[in-house]
Amino acid sequence: MKIALVGIGKIARDQHVPALAASPDWELAATVSRSGTVDGVEAFTDFAAMLAARPDVGVISLCLPPQPRYPYAEAALLAGRHVMLEKPPGQTLAEVHALQALAAKQGVTLYATWHSRMAEAVAPAKAWLADKTIRRSQITWREDVRKWHPGQDWVFEPGGMGVFDPGINALSILTEILPAPVHVTAAELEFPANRDTPIAARIAFSGNISADFDWRQEGPQTWDSVVETDGGLLELKMGGNRLFIDGREVAGEDTIMGEYPKLYARMAELVRAGQSEVDLAPMVHVADALTLGKRVVTDAFHF
Ligand code: NAP
């Protein structure tokens, strides 16, 4: 199937282009970006022009930041194309509800991806937790914003979600593996004095669950979740790629490179089956944390 990538930036280059190149399902047939291109692929700078010129491209994958993404998704669906959305699927929940309704009306696939759910150890963790009682859980998601979002001011602009941009990956795992849903009960958000979104967040959930997100950790990142249960201690490390039960490694691999190939395999399945997949549970937690969060002003941040 022919696919176009829109927004040729960091994640398109790091993950989408290699995943498509290695996939038997997909041919990268066009790109749309104001300056980015991919060698050997027809490049457009205007989305409407690409949709008009390439009716053979049936699937559009949007790798733009969330703020500009909605009009691209809407135009693609109106043009009868299937659409795959990077995480988070939009700036707001209502935007994504509107896209869901439009995709259903147009009879095309909408896939709101959560790459961390494709991490190697997430499915075995979910299976292990299925019959357990959760006593406590702690998520620690700390990384260096200068390494993962170098110079990307959009993360600190309204709609960019700040530290919830990586934090929502942890929440996509939490909402996938827990046997029963939880909800946010309180949050404390640290906003740099010169920015509009938080650089750190501490969140409390029902069920004795808490999360600590911080973008100021230098050196190696920490993307870990610990779940204490009536049947033992589960630890997910490396963003859901390695699983330990009672301290013993039982599943996983030492890389994050398997996630995007699985997303594209899932998109191929959804298109062939004529289905959509849109789960907004991780984004509901972010919206609730931003609604309930106590604002704490911290040092100004400059890249
Ligand atoms: P990025 O490099 O800052 O942006 C991607 C591209 O989108 C840019 O190169 C730019 O291409 C285009 N773009 C940016 N702002 C635009 C605007 N206002 N209007 C139209 N086009 C615009 O961002 P990214 O890091 O790839 O992240 C994109 C999405 O992927 C985000 O939702 C993010 O959460 C997700 N993601 C990122 C990472 C990561 O490691 N960074 C990991 C997983 C998922 P042109 O200038 O060529 O138009």
Side-chain angles (χ1 to χ4, degrees):
M1 289 178 275
K2 290 185 184 171
I3 189 165
L5 277 184
V6 182
I8 306 301
K10 184 170 190 308
I11 199 61
R13 289 200 176 86
D14 287 358
Q15 298 286 350
H16 291 255
V17 172
L20 287 170
S23 168
D25 294 309
W26 299 105
E27 175 193 339
L28 178 56
T31 60
V32 183
S33 217
R34 296 162 308 180
S35 56
T37 59
V38 175
D39 281 352
V41 179
E42 186 177 10
F44 293 81
T45 52
D46 182 72
F47 191 48
M50 191 281 290
L51 290 173
R54 296 298 303 269
D56 57 316
V57 175
V59 182
I60 311 293
S61 178
L62 299 176
C63 317
L64 301 156
Q67 293 101 324
R69 204 181 299 136
Y70 178 83
Y72 287 83
E74 182 187 42
L77 295 171
L78 285 171
R81 315 299 167 90
H82 307 286
V83 171
M84 182 162 155
L85 301 169
E86 250 301 349
K87 51 63 52 172
Q91 308 187 89
T92 66
L93 292 161
E95 270 187 5
V96 191
H97 288 141
L99 294 176
Q100 255 184 307
L102 182 58
K105 184 170 167 225
Q106 295 290 97
V108 294
T109 295
L110 180 68
Y111 180 24
T113 66
W114 298 109
H115 66 84
S116 291
R117 284 187 176 174
M118 294 300 191
E120 199 59 27
V122 170
K126 179 177 180 163
W128 190 82
L129 286 172
D131 60 355
K132 306 287 186 305
T133 300
I134 312 299
R135 294 195 171 134
R136 190 187 75 88
S137 176
Q138 167 71 36
I139 300 168
T140 309
W141 224 256
R142 293 171 158 245
E143 61 177 45
D144 183 351
V145 64
R146 293 185 176 91
K147 172 177 175 188
W148 293 98
H149 290 283
Q152 294 176 354
D153 282 315
W154 63 263
V155 297
F156 286 115
E157 288 165 4
M161 289 190 187
V163 76
F164 289 102
D165 180 85
I168 204 168
N169 297 333
L171 300 177
S172 74
I173 295 175
L174 182 80
T175 49
E176 177 69 11
I177 65 174
L178 286 187
V182 294
H183 57 268
V184 174
T185 55
E188 191 173 78
L189 311 172
E190 287 188 59
F191 287 76
N194 61 337
R195 300 286 184 169
D196 290 321
T197 64
I199 196 163
R202 290 167 292 279
I203 309 142
F205 297 84
S206 56
N208 213 10
I209 292 172
S210 57
D212 176 346
F213 301 156
D214 204 313
W215 247 344
R216 297 167 296 191
Q217 174 157 306
E218 295 178 2
Q221 54 280 351
T222 308
W223 294 329
D224 294 349
S225 309
V226 177
V227 189
E228 287 175 25
T229 77
D230 58 341
L233 181 75
L234 176 146
E235 291 169 280
L236 271 174
K237 299 189 177 187
M238 259 198 76
N241 280 290
R242 299 179 67 186
L243 174 62
F244 298 77
I245 303 291
D246 293 329
R248 195 171 60 87
E249 183 150 20
V250 295
E253 58 183 19
D254 214 12
T255 173
I256 59 170
M257 291 307 284
E259 297 171 15
Y260 280 77
K262 288 188 205 152
L263 291 182
Y264 277 103
R266 179 70 183 137
M267 182 63 180
E269 266 176 22
L270 289 170
V271 170
R272 290 194 184 106
Q275 292 171 354
S276 287
E277 187 173 298
V278 180
D279 176 11
L280 292 174
M283 206 166 148
V284 167
H285 288 324
V286 173
D288 285 359
L290 291 169
T291 303
L292 279 178
K294 177 178 165 51
R295 180 188 174 95
V296 177
V297 177
T298 187
D299 296 346
F301 176 84
H302 302 279
F303 276 106

